[in-house]
Amino acid sequence: MAKLFFLLSGENKTLPAAEVKAILEAEGYTYTNPKELDQVLQLESDPQSVKAVQIRSAYTRVSAQELLSADSNYTAILNAAAQTDFSTVLKNGESFVVRINRIKNYADTQINTMTLEIELGKQILSQTPGTTVNLKNPDKTFIGIITNDKLILGLKLTDITSKTFSERRPRKKPFFHPSAMPSKMARCMVNLTHAKTESVLLDPFCGTGTSLIEATFIGCRAVGVDAQHRMILGTKKNLVYFGIDAEGLILGDSRKIPLFRVDAVVTDPPYGRSSSTLKSTTMQLVKDVMTSVHALLDIGKRICIALPIKLNQAGEVEHLSKEIEEYVQNLGFKKLEAHTVYVHRSLTREIVIYEKTQPTPVR
């Protein structure tokens, strides 16, 4: 076990940290002492676990082995650096660079990041004979994050680029629909289900196929269902474009899924026209789908679903998850966590994770 920290995307307040923890759990890595700061998650785990996060995560930017943590002022930081043994991670003959990142405006009047990089570089050089500073192509990078009025410094282990996700954003796909979920969000939802390589993942409203694409890229066997023929054809077009061969695409009613078992479910039910909601209210459709997928999941398996949060005519906030809470509990699901995601002025999504806790009644 080692002290690790992850620099997270600022695109959502709670999803990035939840995603990292879900990835570790899915891949069988235990972790202890998790602590969430603004865009940083600290924890203790196997250093090899960062590779799983690097491969799977949508909302993680950097992972690092934590070496020190100090209040964000020069005196505290340099005192902590003087007591840190950098020779454990930096050997004779190796080069290094120090990079400091500031989250938002934390300590912006107390710390000049360039000055701090220079001072920490001097401290590391004094402790590690035979090492050199290389600003362009170093052997090792020490990354510091200023957040919550602290500096966390460590040895960078992985960099994670978001370029591949931008290349798969909805308007980049051959088949586009305005309701399509962004690829990052879909990947995160897949991760929150604990799906992994060879897991059979189902999307009962596959739409343009975004969740199927993201699930396949981490090794899942993806199955999509949609009631609209044009959506199935569009999904197929998108899958071909990305070189993906899905486990199956089914034109059918998501309330009567012709499958026996799946390992995870990810979906974003339609909220709009009757043609897309199977001539049912959104609430009834979600209830029916929850009933349908309950029979397909083993106990302990998960569904991650995007539900709408809207303002009614009286200006009151309506959470669909609250309205169906008693129903899904009686059905045999336990609500594990929920995360709010702003979409546009009239719609905010709630990403909700449910776990099956009771067997499906025999009919």
Side-chain angles (χ1 to χ4, degrees):
M1 300 281 277
K3 286 187 176 182
L4 305 173
F5 70 84
F6 301 86
L7 175 60
L8 308 173
S9 163
E11 295 164 78
N12 186 274
K13 186 176 180 180
T14 61
L15 274 173
E19 182 188 39
V20 171
K21 290 186 278 189
I23 291 170
L24 298 182
E25 291 163 5
E27 297 294 335
Y29 290 104
T30 59
Y31 63 87
T32 59
N33 303 320
K35 184 177 181 182
E36 296 181 29
L37 303 176
D38 197 346
Q39 287 184 232
V40 170
L41 173 65
Q42 295 171 286
L43 52 77
E44 295 178 29
S45 189
D46 184 337
Q48 294 299 314
S49 65
V50 302
K51 294 180 181 179
V53 177
Q54 181 182 30
I55 292 168
R56 296 184 52 149
S57 177
Y59 292 125
T60 303
R61 295 291 166 264
V62 171
S63 67
Q65 179 184 339
E66 183 177 327
L67 299 173
L68 70 86
S69 177
D71 291 339
S72 54
N73 62 75
Y74 290 114
T75 300
I77 293 169
L78 295 178
N79 284 342
Q83 298 173 39
T84 301
D85 186 1
F86 291 96
S87 66
T88 61
V89 294
L90 189 62
K91 305 303 180 185
N92 189 308
E94 290 185 317
S95 62
F96 72 93
V97 69
V98 179
R99 297 299 185 199
I100 305 297
N101 294 271
R102 189 195 312 276
I103 303 301
K104 299 175 182 174
N105 295 318
Y106 289 109
D108 61 344
T109 60
Q110 291 83 26
I111 295 288
N112 179 289
T113 56
M114 186 175 295
T115 299
L116 183 57
E117 289 173 354
I118 293 170
E119 293 302 317
L120 284 171
K122 291 178 181 177
Q123 184 70 255
I124 295 169
L125 279 172
S126 70
Q127 295 184 32
T128 54
T131 64
T132 57
V133 173
N134 186 328
L135 300 180
K136 293 186 176 180
N137 189 30
D139 296 312
K140 302 284 179 65
T141 296
F142 294 99
I143 182 167
I145 311 295
I146 299 173
T147 184
N148 293 85
D149 297 320
K150 289 186 174 297
L151 172 84
I152 303 166
L153 182 78
L155 176 68
K156 182 189 288 187
L157 300 177
T158 63
D159 252 328
I160 303 171
T161 177
S162 60
K163 181 181 178 182
T164 55
F165 290 103
S166 65
E167 291 172 348
R168 296 196 297 275
R169 63 182 184 269
R171 290 190 179 276
K172 284 277 190 175
K173 296 184 175 76
F175 176 69
F176 168 76
H177 190 275
S179 67
M181 179 170 284
S183 58
K184 283 186 184 179
M185 182 65 66
R187 172 68 68 87
C188 180
M189 290 178 67
V190 170
N191 285 327
L192 291 172
T193 67
H194 287 185
K196 53 186 177 181
T197 301
E198 291 301 311
S199 293
V200 177
L201 182 137
L202 167 70
D203 186 345
F205 302 98
C206 66
T208 64
T210 303
S211 64
L212 308 185
I213 292 168
E214 297 307 319
T216 302
F217 279 150
I218 65 167
C220 295
R221 298 157 58 196
V223 179
V225 176
D226 206 285
Q228 298 185 76
H229 190 251
R230 70 186 185 96
M231 287 297 190
I232 291 294
L233 292 179
T235 290
K236 187 173 182 180
K237 183 182 292 186
N238 287 342
L239 295 180
V240 170
Y241 180 78
F242 290 106
I244 290 172
D245 185 14
E247 192 76 10
L249 292 177
I250 301 170
L251 175 64
D253 189 335
S254 60
R255 298 168 297 187
K256 301 174 183 178
I257 300 170
L259 298 172
F260 294 103
R261 184 189 64 80
V262 298
D263 299 307
V265 178
V266 168
T267 198
D268 180 19
Y271 313 136
R273 301 179 303 276
S274 61
S275 61
S276 62
T277 57
L278 305 173
K279 298 181 180 180
S280 177
T281 65
T282 299
M283 183 188 298
Q284 189 58 52
L285 180 63
V286 171
K287 287 182 176 179
D288 291 343
V289 169
M290 293 295 288
T291 301
S292 178
V293 302
H294 187 271
L296 305 180
L297 294 168
D298 290 337
I299 290 177
K301 298 300 184 179
R302 295 180 169 196
I303 172 173
C304 184
I305 185 168
L307 299 175
I309 302 174
K310 293 185 177 181
L311 289 177
N312 60 24
Q313 292 182 342
E316 299 168 329
V317 177
E318 293 183 340
H319 287 75
L320 185 59
S321 65
K322 296 288 186 184
E323 298 178 45
I324 66 170
E325 187 170 3
E326 183 177 355
Y327 181 85
V328 295
Q329 284 179 353
N330 292 336
L331 189 61
F333 281 111
K334 176 184 177 182
K335 181 179 177 181
L336 297 178
E337 55 189 273
H339 306 272
T340 301
V341 179
Y342 175 81
V343 180
H344 52 68
R345 182 185 297 180
S346 61
L347 175 64
T348 299
R349 282 189 180 108
E350 187 177 26
I351 307 301
V352 188
I353 302 93
Y354 296 100
E355 180 180 277
K356 180 172 176 176
T357 58
Q358 300 174 25
T360 305
V362 178
R363 297 180 179 178

Short mmCIF file of all heavy atoms in Angstrom, two decimals, residues 162-177 180-185 208 210 213-214 238 241-242:
data_model
loop_
_atom_site.label_atom_id
_atom_site.label_comp_id
_atom_site.label_asym_id
_atom_site.label_seq_id
_atom_site.Cartn_x
_atom_site.Cartn_y
_atom_site.Cartn_z
N SER A 162 -7.63 13.59 -22.25
CA SER A 162 -9.07 13.56 -22.53
C SER A 162 -9.35 13.69 -24.03
O SER A 162 -10.50 13.77 -24.44
CB SER A 162 -9.79 14.69 -21.79
OG SER A 162 -9.29 15.95 -22.20
N LYS A 163 -8.27 13.68 -24.84
CA LYS A 163 -8.44 13.88 -26.27
C LYS A 163 -9.33 12.82 -26.90
O LYS A 163 -10.16 13.13 -27.75
CB LYS A 163 -7.06 13.89 -26.95
CG LYS A 163 -7.13 14.12 -28.46
CD LYS A 163 -5.75 14.10 -29.09
CE LYS A 163 -5.85 14.28 -30.60
NZ LYS A 163 -4.52 14.22 -31.25
N THR A 164 -9.15 11.57 -26.50
CA THR A 164 -9.94 10.50 -27.12
C THR A 164 -11.43 10.68 -26.87
O THR A 164 -12.25 10.34 -27.70
CB THR A 164 -9.50 9.12 -26.59
OG1 THR A 164 -9.58 9.12 -25.17
CG2 THR A 164 -8.09 8.81 -27.01
N PHE A 165 -11.77 11.24 -25.70
CA PHE A 165 -13.19 11.47 -25.41
C PHE A 165 -13.74 12.59 -26.29
O PHE A 165 -14.88 12.52 -26.75
CB PHE A 165 -13.39 11.79 -23.93
CG PHE A 165 -13.17 10.61 -23.03
CD1 PHE A 165 -12.00 10.49 -22.31
CD2 PHE A 165 -14.12 9.61 -22.93
CE1 PHE A 165 -11.78 9.40 -21.48
CE2 PHE A 165 -13.92 8.51 -22.11
CZ PHE A 165 -12.74 8.40 -21.39
N SER A 166 -12.97 13.64 -26.49
CA SER A 166 -13.43 14.74 -27.35
C SER A 166 -13.63 14.26 -28.78
O SER A 166 -14.52 14.74 -29.50
CB SER A 166 -12.45 15.91 -27.31
OG SER A 166 -11.20 15.56 -27.87
N GLU A 167 -12.84 13.29 -29.20
CA GLU A 167 -12.98 12.73 -30.54
C GLU A 167 -14.24 11.88 -30.68
O GLU A 167 -14.68 11.59 -31.79
CB GLU A 167 -11.75 11.90 -30.90
CG GLU A 167 -10.49 12.73 -31.10
CD GLU A 167 -9.24 11.89 -31.26
OE1 GLU A 167 -9.31 10.67 -31.00
OE2 GLU A 167 -8.20 12.44 -31.64
N ARG A 168 -14.83 11.50 -29.52
CA ARG A 168 -16.06 10.70 -29.54
C ARG A 168 -17.27 11.48 -29.03
O ARG A 168 -18.28 10.88 -28.69
CB ARG A 168 -15.86 9.43 -28.70
CG ARG A 168 -14.80 8.49 -29.22
CD ARG A 168 -14.92 7.10 -28.61
NE ARG A 168 -14.73 7.09 -27.18
CZ ARG A 168 -13.55 7.01 -26.57
NH1 ARG A 168 -12.44 6.98 -27.29
NH2 ARG A 168 -13.46 6.98 -25.25
N ARG A 169 -17.16 12.80 -28.96
CA ARG A 169 -18.31 13.57 -28.51
C ARG A 169 -19.45 13.41 -29.52
O ARG A 169 -19.22 13.09 -30.70
CB ARG A 169 -17.95 15.03 -28.28
CG ARG A 169 -17.50 15.81 -29.48
CD ARG A 169 -17.13 17.23 -29.05
NE ARG A 169 -16.77 18.07 -30.17
CZ ARG A 169 -15.55 18.23 -30.63
NH1 ARG A 169 -14.54 17.56 -30.06
NH2 ARG A 169 -15.31 19.03 -31.65
N PRO A 170 -20.71 13.65 -29.09
CA PRO A 170 -21.87 13.33 -29.94
C PRO A 170 -21.80 13.84 -31.36
O PRO A 170 -22.11 13.11 -32.31
CB PRO A 170 -23.02 13.96 -29.15
CG PRO A 170 -22.61 13.85 -27.72
CD PRO A 170 -21.11 14.10 -27.74
N ARG A 171 -21.40 15.09 -31.56
CA ARG A 171 -21.42 15.65 -32.92
C ARG A 171 -20.28 15.13 -33.80
O ARG A 171 -20.26 15.39 -35.01
CB ARG A 171 -21.38 17.17 -32.86
CG ARG A 171 -22.68 17.77 -32.34
CD ARG A 171 -22.73 19.27 -32.51
NE ARG A 171 -23.99 19.82 -32.02
CZ ARG A 171 -25.12 19.87 -32.73
NH1 ARG A 171 -25.12 19.41 -33.98
NH2 ARG A 171 -26.21 20.38 -32.22
N LYS A 172 -19.34 14.41 -33.22
CA LYS A 172 -18.25 13.81 -34.00
C LYS A 172 -18.66 12.46 -34.59
O LYS A 172 -17.97 11.94 -35.48
CB LYS A 172 -17.01 13.63 -33.11
CG LYS A 172 -16.24 14.91 -32.84
CD LYS A 172 -15.28 15.23 -33.98
CE LYS A 172 -14.34 16.34 -33.62
NZ LYS A 172 -13.34 16.59 -34.67
N LYS A 173 -19.75 11.90 -34.08
CA LYS A 173 -20.17 10.58 -34.54
C LYS A 173 -20.96 10.70 -35.85
O LYS A 173 -21.62 11.71 -36.10
CB LYS A 173 -21.03 9.91 -33.47
CG LYS A 173 -20.30 9.61 -32.17
CD LYS A 173 -21.23 8.86 -31.21
CE LYS A 173 -20.49 8.44 -29.94
NZ LYS A 173 -20.28 9.56 -29.03
N PRO A 174 -20.91 9.67 -36.69
CA PRO A 174 -21.65 9.71 -37.95
C PRO A 174 -23.15 9.88 -37.75
O PRO A 174 -23.81 10.59 -38.51
CB PRO A 174 -21.35 8.34 -38.59
CG PRO A 174 -20.10 7.88 -37.94
CD PRO A 174 -20.10 8.45 -36.56
N PHE A 175 -23.69 9.23 -36.70
CA PHE A 175 -25.11 9.36 -36.39
C PHE A 175 -25.26 10.19 -35.12
O PHE A 175 -24.76 9.82 -34.06
CB PHE A 175 -25.76 7.99 -36.19
CG PHE A 175 -27.22 8.06 -35.78
CD1 PHE A 175 -28.17 8.51 -36.68
CD2 PHE A 175 -27.61 7.70 -34.50
CE1 PHE A 175 -29.51 8.58 -36.31
CE2 PHE A 175 -28.94 7.77 -34.12
CZ PHE A 175 -29.89 8.22 -35.03
N PHE A 176 -25.92 11.33 -35.26
CA PHE A 176 -26.07 12.26 -34.14
C PHE A 176 -27.53 12.41 -33.75
O PHE A 176 -28.42 12.40 -34.60
CB PHE A 176 -25.50 13.63 -34.52
CG PHE A 176 -25.86 14.72 -33.54
CD1 PHE A 176 -25.19 14.81 -32.32
CD2 PHE A 176 -26.86 15.63 -33.84
CE1 PHE A 176 -25.52 15.81 -31.41
CE2 PHE A 176 -27.19 16.64 -32.94
CZ PHE A 176 -26.52 16.72 -31.72
N HIS A 177 -27.75 12.55 -32.44
CA HIS A 177 -29.07 12.88 -31.92
C HIS A 177 -28.86 13.86 -30.78
O HIS A 177 -27.94 13.67 -29.97
CB HIS A 177 -29.81 11.63 -31.42
CG HIS A 177 -31.25 11.88 -31.11
ND1 HIS A 177 -31.67 12.38 -29.89
CD2 HIS A 177 -32.37 11.70 -31.86
CE1 HIS A 177 -32.99 12.51 -29.91
NE2 HIS A 177 -33.44 12.09 -31.09
N ALA A 180 -28.15 12.70 -27.17
CA ALA A 180 -27.04 11.78 -26.91
C ALA A 180 -26.21 12.24 -25.72
O ALA A 180 -25.91 13.42 -25.56
CB ALA A 180 -26.16 11.67 -28.15
N MET A 181 -25.81 11.27 -24.90
CA MET A 181 -24.99 11.57 -23.72
C MET A 181 -23.53 11.73 -24.12
O MET A 181 -23.02 11.01 -24.98
CB MET A 181 -25.12 10.43 -22.71
CG MET A 181 -24.30 10.62 -21.45
SD MET A 181 -24.70 9.41 -20.17
CE MET A 181 -26.25 10.05 -19.55
N PRO A 182 -22.80 12.68 -23.52
CA PRO A 182 -21.37 12.82 -23.80
C PRO A 182 -20.61 11.55 -23.46
O PRO A 182 -20.98 10.80 -22.54
CB PRO A 182 -20.95 13.98 -22.88
CG PRO A 182 -22.20 14.73 -22.59
CD PRO A 182 -23.30 13.70 -22.58
N SER A 183 -19.54 11.30 -24.20
CA SER A 183 -18.79 10.06 -24.01
C SER A 183 -18.18 9.96 -22.61
O SER A 183 -18.13 8.88 -22.02
CB SER A 183 -17.69 9.94 -25.07
OG SER A 183 -16.82 11.05 -25.02
N LYS A 184 -17.72 11.08 -22.05
CA LYS A 184 -17.15 11.05 -20.69
C LYS A 184 -18.18 10.60 -19.67
O LYS A 184 -17.89 9.79 -18.79
CB LYS A 184 -16.62 12.43 -20.30
CG LYS A 184 -15.31 12.82 -20.92
CD LYS A 184 -14.86 14.14 -20.32
CE LYS A 184 -13.59 14.65 -20.96
NZ LYS A 184 -13.19 15.95 -20.39
N MET A 185 -19.37 11.16 -19.78
CA MET A 185 -20.43 10.80 -18.84
C MET A 185 -20.78 9.32 -18.97
O MET A 185 -20.94 8.61 -17.96
CB MET A 185 -21.66 11.65 -19.09
CG MET A 185 -22.82 11.37 -18.14
SD MET A 185 -22.40 11.83 -16.45
CE MET A 185 -22.25 13.60 -16.65
N THR A 208 -27.83 6.45 -29.46
CA THR A 208 -26.77 6.51 -30.48
C THR A 208 -25.61 5.57 -30.17
O THR A 208 -24.61 5.57 -30.87
CB THR A 208 -26.24 7.94 -30.62
OG1 THR A 208 -25.63 8.34 -29.39
CG2 THR A 208 -27.36 8.92 -30.97
N THR A 210 -23.64 5.42 -27.33
CA THR A 210 -22.49 5.95 -26.60
C THR A 210 -22.05 5.04 -25.46
O THR A 210 -20.86 4.77 -25.29
CB THR A 210 -22.81 7.36 -26.04
OG1 THR A 210 -23.20 8.21 -27.11
CG2 THR A 210 -21.60 7.95 -25.34
N ILE A 213 -20.30 1.96 -26.77
CA ILE A 213 -18.94 2.26 -27.24
C ILE A 213 -17.98 2.34 -26.07
O ILE A 213 -16.91 1.72 -26.06
CB ILE A 213 -18.94 3.57 -28.04
CG1 ILE A 213 -19.71 3.40 -29.35
CG2 ILE A 213 -17.50 4.03 -28.32
CD1 ILE A 213 -20.01 4.70 -30.07
N GLU A 214 -18.36 3.09 -25.04
CA GLU A 214 -17.47 3.28 -23.89
C GLU A 214 -17.28 1.99 -23.11
O GLU A 214 -16.18 1.71 -22.60
CB GLU A 214 -18.00 4.40 -22.98
CG GLU A 214 -18.05 5.77 -23.65
CD GLU A 214 -16.72 6.17 -24.25
OE1 GLU A 214 -15.68 5.94 -23.62
OE2 GLU A 214 -16.73 6.73 -25.37
N ASN A 238 -22.57 4.04 -35.82
CA ASN A 238 -21.54 4.57 -34.92
C ASN A 238 -20.57 3.48 -34.47
O ASN A 238 -19.37 3.72 -34.36
CB ASN A 238 -22.20 5.22 -33.71
CG ASN A 238 -22.84 6.56 -34.05
OD1 ASN A 238 -22.54 7.16 -35.08
ND2 ASN A 238 -23.74 7.02 -33.20
N TYR A 241 -18.17 2.77 -37.21
CA TYR A 241 -17.23 3.88 -37.35
C TYR A 241 -16.05 3.74 -36.39
O TYR A 241 -14.91 4.06 -36.73
CB TYR A 241 -17.96 5.19 -37.11
CG TYR A 241 -17.10 6.43 -37.23
CD1 TYR A 241 -16.75 6.94 -38.48
CD2 TYR A 241 -16.65 7.09 -36.09
CE1 TYR A 241 -15.97 8.08 -38.60
CE2 TYR A 241 -15.86 8.23 -36.19
CZ TYR A 241 -15.53 8.72 -37.44
OH TYR A 241 -14.74 9.85 -37.55
N PHE A 242 -16.33 3.26 -35.16
CA PHE A 242 -15.28 3.11 -34.16
C PHE A 242 -14.71 1.69 -34.12
O PHE A 242 -13.95 1.35 -33.21
CB PHE A 242 -15.80 3.50 -32.78
CG PHE A 242 -16.04 4.98 -32.63
CD1 PHE A 242 -17.33 5.49 -32.61
CD2 PHE A 242 -14.98 5.86 -32.55
CE1 PHE A 242 -17.56 6.86 -32.50
CE2 PHE A 242 -15.19 7.23 -32.43
CZ PHE A 242 -16.49 7.73 -32.41
#
